[in-house]
Amino acid sequence: PGPAPPAWDSFVRCCAEQGLLAGAAAARPLYLILDDNFYYRSMRYEVYQLARRYSLSFCQLFLECPLEQCLQRNRLRSHPIPDETIRLMARKIEIPDLEKNAWEQNSLILKSFECTSEDDAQIINLLATALENPVKQNEENTEQKEADRVTCAASTVHQADQTCRRIISQTMKEAKDKNVLPSEMKSLAEELNKLKAEFLEDLRQGSHLKNQTGQQNHSLDPATSLLSSFQLEATNVVNKYVLK
């Protein structure tokens, strides 16, 4: 209901201009390629849910590449991004798990540094398999469940944001009390706010944090575990300035 968003209008117009929506072209398979990092599995699952809602086909092509080669390729770009952004992506990215997740069965993992002619055949087979096996609609009220999940997540993220702000405010006060130079207070605030943004994104995407030993803390809910970890890392950031 309601007017279509501008992006959708633009997409439909481009398809029409290329003759993809009428005549013989409309009878041919139409592939929508979403070219993005989709580093959290939950991001890709949202696309899968759309395919399921409309009984469309769905598949994933994951390009695996060593971190050092990613950094090297990035430095050759005309507008490279910071190395730390790529390192952060490498830590967060979640590879398709074909054994655990039934919805990721139509996935192909290729080593992007060893491209061969055989890869072309594998990609064609992946697409053909997906076309022959469109995702079946789930009889459960998935739309309502997803709406409830989004509402709950938004409320949790909002509360976590408020708590993180309080932690940052208290941390800045402690830094000032410990005689951190005024010239460094701005840099400290920027680091803490960047840390907050990353933690909130983890919470928003449902990423599970782990404690210092690498084992997930099952006694705490994700939001509480995240805030506890945020408090610890905020303290570590301040210590860098205090112990100079």
Side-chain angles (χ1 to χ4, degrees):
W8 177 254
D9 288 337
S10 177
F11 171 72
V12 172
R13 185 168 59 254
C14 287
C15 288
E17 290 172 354
Q18 297 177 54
L20 298 174
L21 303 179
R28 298 200 304 266
L30 176 63
Y31 293 97
L32 305 182
I33 302 175
L34 308 185
D35 181 15
D36 199 2
N37 290 322
F38 288 104
Y39 54 95
Y40 284 122
R41 189 172 290 110
S42 58
M43 297 173 174
R44 308 192 299 264
Y45 185 65
E46 290 181 7
V47 180
Y48 170 81
Q49 287 178 307
L50 280 174
R52 183 175 61 186
R53 182 184 303 172
Y54 298 105
S55 298
L56 301 177
S57 301
F58 172 86
C59 62
Q60 300 179 126
L61 178 61
F62 184 91
L63 300 179
E64 192 172 33
C65 185
L67 174 59
E68 288 306 316
Q69 187 159 7
C70 290
L71 293 169
Q72 181 181 358
R73 289 177 176 177
N74 177 59
R75 291 164 188 152
L76 296 176
R77 298 168 69 180
S78 57
H79 296 87
I81 61 177
D83 284 358
E84 184 53 35
T85 300
I86 294 180
R87 290 193 178 95
L88 179 63
M89 181 73 65
R91 293 196 297 270
K92 291 189 172 186
I93 199 162
E94 297 175 340
I95 299 177
D97 192 331
L98 282 63
E99 294 184 1
K100 281 188 177 181
N101 303 311
W103 66 272
E104 291 192 293
Q105 290 304 306
N106 283 341
S107 299
L108 178 61
I109 301 174
L110 295 178
K111 298 187 181 299
S112 68
F113 55 95
E114 295 179 351
C115 295
T116 66
S117 58
E118 294 180 358
D119 292 341
D120 294 341
Q122 291 188 76
I123 294 172
I124 294 298
N125 288 336
L126 173 70
L127 296 174
T129 299
L131 274 180
E132 293 169 0
N133 299 278
V135 182
K136 294 181 179 179
Q137 288 189 2
N138 194 328
E139 293 181 358
E140 297 180 6
N141 191 352
T142 56
E143 290 188 15
Q144 184 58 49
K145 284 186 176 181
E146 179 62 14
D148 293 343
R149 185 195 68 80
V150 170
T151 300
C152 180
S155 176
T156 301
V157 170
H158 175 72
Q159 293 175 25
D161 179 54
Q162 297 301 310
T163 303
C164 285
R165 289 174 185 270
R166 288 195 294 272
I167 292 174
I168 289 176
S169 177
Q170 180 63 31
T171 303
M172 292 293 293
K173 181 178 182 302
E174 292 174 358
K176 186 176 180 180
D177 293 342
K178 292 178 180 178
N179 299 318
V180 173
L181 296 176
S183 59
E184 295 182 332
M185 291 293 284
K186 180 180 179 182
S187 297
L188 173 58
E190 290 176 350
E191 280 199 54
L192 291 173
N193 280 299
K194 180 180 178 182
L195 183 66
K196 175 174 75 75
E198 293 172 359
F199 271 69
L200 292 179
E201 181 63 19
D202 281 339
L203 180 59
R204 188 176 290 111
Q205 296 300 333
S207 181
H208 296 292
L209 299 178
K210 296 185 178 182
N211 62 20
Q212 297 293 329
T213 64
Q215 299 298 319
Q216 190 172 335
N217 190 341
H218 294 285
S219 63
L220 300 176
D221 64 86
T224 303
S225 177
L226 181 145
L227 291 171
S228 176
S229 183
F230 177 80
Q231 176 80 71
L232 178 62
E233 294 206 25
T235 301
N236 291 337
V237 170
V238 172
N239 286 339
K240 289 194 306 182
Y241 290 83
V242 173
L243 301 176
K244 279 187 176 181

